[in-house]
Amino acid sequence: MMDWNQCPAVERVADRVSGAWVFKDTRVPVRALFENLEGGATIEQFLEWFPGVSREQALAVLKCAESSLVESGA
């Protein structure tokens, strides 16, 4: 499982969005990025649909996920 503690673009606040990992300073769950990409959306579409998330945050989350996969040997 991904350790989001190492990703500076996200945060987890117990009383916000049921404690889910969200993009920092937003209420947008990190899982929304992956769900939208899996559904065929582009990064540009995601950013349009979730204007509180910056391109830098989205790319940082993808980089953290990629690093996690490399480290796990997946």
Side-chain angles (χ1 to χ4, degrees):
M1 173 141 61
M2 175 77 192
D3 179 11
W4 289 110
N5 287 306
Q6 304 304 314
C7 185
V10 302
E11 64 186 351
R12 180 186 245 174
V13 180
D15 61 348
R16 189 183 317 155
V17 193
S18 300
W21 285 100
V22 297
F23 287 92
K24 193 169 279 206
D25 299 324
T26 76
R27 296 182 58 81
V28 179
V30 171
R31 76 175 183 281
L33 173 61
F34 294 101
E35 288 171 353
N36 279 277
L37 293 175
E38 287 173 4
T42 65
I43 292 288
E44 288 74 22
Q45 289 170 319
F46 176 80
L47 295 173
E48 181 180 320
W49 299 333
F50 298 93
V53 178
S54 71
R55 175 175 299 280
E56 292 75 21
Q57 286 175 307
L59 294 177
V61 163
L62 293 175
K63 184 161 181 65
C64 288
E66 177 188 33
S67 294
S68 174
L69 290 172
V70 169
E71 290 172 11
S72 71

